[in-house]
Amino acid sequence: SEETPSAKTILLVRDGRDTIFSQFKRERKFSDFNSMLSTGIKPFNLRPADTWALFNLIWLNFAARKGNLFTIKFEDIKSDPETVLPKLLGYMGISRDPDTIRAAIESSSFERAKKHEEDYRAKAIRTQFDLVNRRGQPGEWKEAYGVEQLAFFDGLPNLALKHFGYEPSDDFDAEQLRRLLDPNQSIGKSADFLNKALSFVKNKDGL
């Protein structure tokens, strides 16, 4: 449908370089990182970097026109949840006092989540990920990527990184970014947006 959905949408976005590296460490499906970075994945059969960019930009394009999209950066919720959560609750029309918010944050620790996962895995069959709760750190991609790995972010992924406020891995074309995200040209026009986005994808063997 070309109509923007009326429901409020929350988009949690993380630096794509960290996102993909964390998935590599949790899934343990590939023998080495380059194999993962170069393999087409569902649903577009595009490489992970292109898939990350396309997924986030599609949501942005589809839901943002009438202001019904709230974007949270993983890095912000990790570093300053007491600032981010009140804004999120306000967007959802929910009011909570600071003490309640603080208590919720304290009860959502990594250690508690990991314990729940361990209890679940003791009873359940094998899940998609060998490891769900992993203590990933913002910016760990800087230690995991070299020039060869960063090349997978050429094109659309670097445009997406820039748009969401991350420093791109390489030079990006500001004019391409402007045209891709121009609300007068592409917001609400899903097919047109996809065609524009895919024109920036370095590897076009998918789809």
Side-chain angles (χ1 to χ4, degrees):
S1 170
E2 298 296 336
E3 295 298 322
T4 300
S6 58
K8 293 183 176 181
T9 304
I10 299 168
L11 175 64
L12 175 63
V13 64
R14 183 181 185 185
D15 188 314
R17 295 158 293 195
D18 282 336
T19 301
I20 295 168
F21 180 68
S22 182
Q23 184 173 352
F24 168 72
K25 299 294 286 186
R26 288 184 293 123
E27 279 190 330
R28 300 172 183 169
K29 289 172 57 177
F30 295 90
S31 59
D32 61 82
F33 194 32
N34 275 16
S35 295
M36 179 180 182
L37 288 170
S38 61
T39 299
I41 60 174
K42 294 179 180 180
F44 309 112
N45 195 32
L46 294 172
R47 294 169 177 174
D50 295 321
T51 301
W52 169 83
L54 194 58
F55 176 86
N56 283 287
L57 291 174
I58 284 174
W59 272 108
L60 179 74
N61 176 266
F62 187 56
R65 183 170 64 175
K66 295 182 180 179
N68 61 349
L69 178 70
F70 186 88
T71 302
I72 302 176
K73 292 175 70 172
F74 171 84
E75 295 78 8
D76 293 340
I77 199 71
K78 286 273 286 187
S79 64
D80 192 12
E82 291 189 33
T83 296
V84 176
L85 287 180
K87 294 178 181 178
L88 171 60
L89 292 173
Y91 168 75
M92 297 174 66
I94 299 172
S95 177
R96 293 291 186 273
D97 63 83
D99 288 341
T100 300
I101 294 173
R102 193 173 300 111
I105 293 170
E106 291 172 354
S107 69
S108 303
S109 66
F110 170 80
E111 288 74 17
R112 185 167 182 173
K114 185 176 181 181
K115 179 63 167 58
H116 282 309
E117 179 184 349
E118 291 171 351
D119 292 343
Y120 173 77
R121 288 185 181 280
K123 305 172 185 176
I125 60 174
R126 186 182 183 278
T127 58
Q128 173 188 356
F129 295 99
D130 280 350
L131 178 67
V132 174
N133 289 288
R134 174 180 173 271
R135 196 188 287 274
Q137 297 299 318
E140 65 179 341
W141 67 266
K142 296 175 183 178
E143 301 296 326
Y145 287 72
V147 174
E148 183 180 359
Q149 291 75 36
L150 289 174
F152 287 101
F153 279 79
D154 289 352
L156 185 68
N158 270 333
L159 296 180
L161 286 171
K162 183 65 178 180
H163 175 77
F164 287 112
Y166 301 107
E167 190 63 31
S169 305
D170 203 346
D171 293 338
F172 72 97
D173 189 324
E175 177 61 19
Q176 284 187 338
L177 182 62
R178 187 195 67 76
R179 286 190 290 110
L180 176 64
L181 299 174
D182 184 350
N184 296 318
Q185 297 185 32
S186 62
I187 295 293
K189 301 176 183 178
S190 301
D192 182 50
F193 173 78
L194 282 172
N195 287 334
K196 289 181 179 181
L198 288 171
S199 72
F200 299 141
V201 172
K202 185 178 180 182
N203 167 40
K204 298 180 182 179
D205 295 331
L207 295 173

